[in-house]
Amino acid sequence: MSGETASRLAARIRAEGPMPLAEFMGEAVAAYYRRERVFGAEGDFVTAPEISQIFGELVGIWFALRWHAAGRPERFPLVECGPGRGTLIADALRAARSVPGFAKAIELHLIETSPTLRAAQAEALAGFPASWHDGLETLPEGPLFLIANEFLDALPVAQVVFRGGAWRERRVGLFREDFAFVDGAEAAPPAAMLSRLPPPREGEILETAAAAEDFVARVAARIAAAGGAALFFDYGHAESGFGDTVQAVSRHRYVPPLAAPGEVDLTAHVDFARMAEAAQAHGAAAFGPADQGVWLVAMGLPTRLTVLLRGATPEQTEALVSSTRRLTEPHAMGRLFKALALLPVSAQPPEGF
Ligand code: SAH
């Protein structure tokens, strides 16, 4: 075990006993994003907007279409959650400038808890005005237009394990000097989730993402009450299922998830069925999840690629083609990554869905 966060969590477990997985994950993720050098070839992982500028551009166009649908209001509150290095929003704003009147209407709000990343985002914006928030609570009233890429996967999950005929909470304890899962008290997973699953076998694990569901529910409630649209991208599954999806990545490789809290990227796959249900239960319409590859192609990726390829050098051509393949092909990021859109309940399916 190494690192400040690991020592702090270990001391807490020694004093109080095994802790809920969600608390362990919440502390680990918060510590992790305060570090430098998380993203990119030099960091731990690469996200879609970091792979190709086309991703952020098409997101920008999607919101331009929402702006048109809303009657081209003079002010358009655009919110990004967990903007990372700010690449997506910078690309989206560039595309927004090609739509007359749109960029001028954007009032940009960024939800980001990491001071390091807030600074990186300000730099990427190159003077475009924005305000930063810790959460949804401080956003201005009124319609909400929100984009989040690889944000929900960073929110903490809980797990239960089926043992001897009962579900038990999975907690994180210490085995010698290492973090290890231990069974906690009996716990009842959401009945709505269990009702759609086959009877559990011994040792089966079920994951719940209360923080992500709550976040989606609050966004949906805002959209239901005041209008707007939300677009979530993440890796995950379209249907709920059993299984442990908590994973850790360091320098582009999977590492044991509990081994180095705060030092590695700790995430869980998103259960899109549960996210859509949370949104619908709070009065919004949910569209998708659509496979990311399908969404990108439907939004015009091939046309944009053709434009960028004009006048490209052979090296640039190779880079453009391989990066768009990575985003769209089913065995790469095209199928595991999915898009979910939330709109007011009477809305027609939006572009790409
Ligand atoms: N969207 C970016 C980065 C994804 S990484 C991209 O696609 O490249 C996850 C982002 O969510 C980081 O910016 C991280 O600091 C932020 N984040 C994680 N947990 C958060 C929380 N609880 N509240 C606000 N932001 C959070």
Side-chain angles (χ1 to χ4, degrees):
M1 177 192 309
S2 72
E4 218 178 283
T5 310
S7 310
R8 188 160 37 80
L9 291 169
R12 193 176 138 191
I13 292 168
R14 279 190 203 99
E16 299 170 15
M19 66 194 288
L21 171 62
E23 280 177 37
F24 181 92
M25 188 170 168
E27 298 253 344
V29 170
Y32 177 70
Y33 282 110
R34 283 195 291 268
R35 293 160 20 124
E36 308 279 335
R37 242 172 19 91
V38 164
F39 304 97
E42 303 265 284
D44 292 322
F45 63 95
V46 183
T47 59
E50 304 280 340
I51 291 169
S52 169
Q53 67 181 79
I54 300 178
F55 187 86
E57 290 171 349
L58 295 179
V59 168
I61 297 303
W62 196 84
F63 281 98
L65 293 165
R66 304 273 69 74
W67 176 66
H68 264 268
R72 291 186 280 170
E74 248 170 64
R75 301 306 291 155
F76 183 83
L78 182 61
V79 181
E80 184 177 5
C81 296
R85 292 206 289 206
T87 309
L88 187 159
I89 200 65
D91 292 337
L93 290 172
R94 192 176 53 253
R97 289 191 185 99
S98 68
V99 179
F102 180 46
K104 217 169 58 227
I106 294 174
E107 185 189 283
L108 190 60
H109 299 273
L110 303 178
I111 296 180
E112 174 62 66
T113 42
S114 158
T116 320
L117 290 176
R118 282 187 177 197
Q121 291 152 17
E123 200 177 315
L125 286 175
F128 195 97
S131 45
W132 276 265
H133 304 260
D134 287 333
L136 294 170
E137 307 73 28
T138 52
L139 292 174
E141 303 276 305
L144 177 64
F145 294 88
L146 181 142
I147 167 72
N149 183 56
E150 288 204 42
F151 170 74
L152 296 175
D153 65 73
L155 300 182
V157 297
Q159 292 180 346
V160 288
V161 58
F162 196 69
R163 258 211 254 266
W167 289 103
R168 296 191 165 276
E169 186 193 7
R170 278 188 112 199
R171 291 189 161 234
V172 181
L174 282 168
F175 181 71
R176 305 211 167 104
E177 285 303 290
D178 294 322
F179 295 109
F181 282 108
V182 294
D183 290 359
E186 277 194 31
M193 228 174 153
L194 286 181
S195 67
R196 276 182 281 115
L197 293 170
R201 287 175 304 204
E202 181 70 9
E204 206 93 77
I205 289 171
L206 189 64
E207 228 164 61
T208 49
E213 280 179 32
D214 177 63
F215 188 86
V216 167
R218 286 190 293 146
V219 169
R222 280 282 304 255
I223 291 173
L231 185 58
F232 292 96
F233 289 92
D234 229 306
Y235 41 97
H237 33 277
E239 302 294 339
S240 303
F242 292 125
D244 167 14
T245 76
V246 173
Q247 64 179 46
V249 169
S250 175
R251 311 214 159 235
H252 309 279
R253 283 173 202 281
Y254 291 106
V255 294
L258 303 182
E263 312 279 313
V264 299
D265 179 45
L266 189 60
T267 61
H269 284 208
V270 173
D271 181 341
F272 281 100
R274 294 282 295 169
M275 299 305 139
E277 278 167 18
Q280 287 155 350
H282 287 77
F287 297 93
D291 290 351
Q292 174 175 288
V294 172
W295 188 88
L296 287 168
V297 171
M299 282 298 298
L301 176 138
T303 313
R304 181 62 183 140
L305 178 62
T306 308
V307 171
L308 291 173
L309 286 174
R310 276 184 210 137
T313 64
E315 294 79 46
Q316 287 166 336
T317 300
E318 160 66 25
L320 281 164
V321 169
S322 68
S323 60
T324 51
R325 278 200 178 140
R326 196 168 160 197
L327 292 186
T328 55
E329 286 189 351
H331 65 271
M333 294 169 77
R335 183 169 293 154
L336 176 61
F337 283 74
K338 297 179 167 59
L340 178 75
L342 310 184
L343 291 176
V345 79
S346 55
Q348 294 297 306
E351 296 73 15
F353 290 88

